[in-house]
Amino acid sequence: MRDHVRTRPLLPILLLSVLGGGCRTAVLHGLPEAETNRAIAVLQEQGISASKEADNLETGTWKVLVPRGDVTRVFGVLQQYRLPAPANRRFQDVFGKNKLVVAPVEEKALYLEALQGEIAHTLENVTGVVTARVHVALPEQDLSGQNPKPPKASVMLEYHADAGGEAPIRAEDVARLVASAVSDLGADNVSVVMKPIDLVRSQQAYDFVAFGPVVVSTGSVGIMKILSLGVALVVMALGASLFWNGRIMNELRYELQAAQRQARALPRPGKPPA
């Protein structure tokens, strides 16, 4: 019988998974879920397909994933929206360390830091406010326990204007809010600086095109072409493998039948004499 090559190497079956993987990259890490959802909402508003994934299960933090081709644009959007917002230390963060001994000067500094963080957190909860920086100056008490000077405060607030160009909160309301949070502080002693952030809205947000029988975003057309090519190559490889194995099986069947016919045609040996 002739020698045959019974096997032939196939094209990599994992081609599709290789092409489909690694198309997204993380741009933000270690965020709380609320801040992660805020970043995703802003990116999706700008037409960027963003998603989240658990970053650290022990700390409960998340990371934001975007298509690799949009990374440069993503960082521009995040910078424009001041995301992620820097965390302000609040009372639960400052005084949650279970310290046994705290010096009076350190205790006052920690109290001021926590107070400023709480006020900033309250202002940033106003829809449209991006960041708030609060600084409170408490005068030193004299020997009689009286404050020779009144306390003062300053606020730097960045915001997104509404459709009419108005701020989400008035400077007078900011001053009253800060004054009500600090003992003996009057609204007249609160300086407020309001800074609008001009946003350039994406003109191609949610731009979709038809790719065969499905509808995909414009930025995903290239990926869909690569995946379609990968699927076609895998199907062709499987078809070629089936065809080649079929030929080999047919040739082996014919040779087996020929060998059986030759065996039947051979003369049988006679019986030995008794």
Side-chain angles (χ1 to χ4, degrees):
M1 291 189 295
R2 295 177 298 171
D3 295 331
H4 292 277
V5 179
R6 300 189 178 184
T7 59
R8 177 169 290 186
L10 298 176
L11 291 177
I13 301 301
L14 299 177
L15 178 61
L16 181 61
S17 60
V18 172
L19 292 174
C23 298
R24 303 179 72 82
T25 185
V27 292
L28 296 175
H29 296 269
L31 296 180
E33 188 170 12
E35 192 70 15
T36 303
N37 294 336
R38 181 184 177 191
I40 291 176
V42 169
L43 294 175
Q44 290 182 348
E45 182 183 359
Q46 295 298 314
I48 299 172
S49 176
S51 60
K52 68 180 180 180
E53 187 176 288
D55 190 23
N56 191 319
L57 296 178
E58 294 182 358
T59 59
T61 55
W62 298 78
K63 57 185 176 182
V64 177
L65 306 174
V66 299
R68 286 188 176 179
D70 293 333
V71 170
T72 302
R73 183 175 166 221
V74 164
F75 284 121
V77 173
L78 294 176
Q79 174 66 25
Q80 193 178 46
Y81 278 81
R82 306 296 193 270
L83 292 174
N88 294 305
R89 295 220 301 168
R90 303 164 61 187
F91 280 104
Q92 60 190 15
D93 303 317
V94 173
F95 292 102
K97 304 295 188 295
N98 295 324
K99 297 181 67 174
L100 298 178
V101 179
V102 179
V105 176
E106 183 182 4
E107 182 178 9
K108 181 179 179 180
L110 292 175
Y111 173 79
L112 273 179
E113 181 184 5
L115 178 63
Q116 293 167 169
E118 290 286 352
I119 298 173
H121 178 74
T122 302
L123 291 172
E124 289 174 352
N125 280 336
V126 177
T127 302
V129 175
V130 179
T131 59
R133 292 290 177 270
V134 180
H135 299 279
V136 178
L138 298 179
E140 296 290 341
Q141 294 181 348
D142 56 18
L143 296 179
S144 63
Q146 301 295 324
N147 294 326
K149 296 181 181 180
K152 295 183 179 181
S154 61
V155 180
M156 175 69 176
L157 191 143
E158 294 182 315
Y159 65 92
H160 295 156
D162 58 16
E166 299 293 332
I169 185 173
R170 297 183 304 172
E172 296 81 1
D173 296 333
V174 174
R176 284 197 294 269
L177 186 148
V178 175
S180 63
V182 181
S183 178
D184 299 328
L185 175 62
D188 296 338
N189 288 330
V190 179
S191 301
V192 180
V193 177
M194 307 281 289
K195 180 181 178 183
I197 299 178
D198 297 328
L199 300 178
V200 180
R201 298 293 180 180
S202 173
Q203 300 298 324
Q204 297 182 352
Y206 304 107
D207 188 8
F208 295 97
V209 295
F211 183 78
V214 297
V215 177
V216 298
S217 63
T218 303
S220 301
V221 174
I223 297 176
M224 290 297 296
K225 290 181 178 179
I226 296 176
L227 292 178
S228 300
L229 176 61
V231 172
L233 291 176
V234 171
V235 172
M236 291 173 61
L238 292 176
S241 176
L242 292 175
F243 174 76
W244 182 257
N245 290 335
R247 283 191 57 186
I248 293 177
M249 293 300 295
N250 287 334
E251 292 182 5
L252 292 176
R253 187 182 299 111
Y254 293 150
E255 292 183 359
L256 178 60
Q257 293 174 354
Q260 290 175 347
R261 288 194 297 268
Q262 292 177 3
R264 287 195 295 267
L266 293 175
R268 296 182 179 182
K271 294 183 178 181

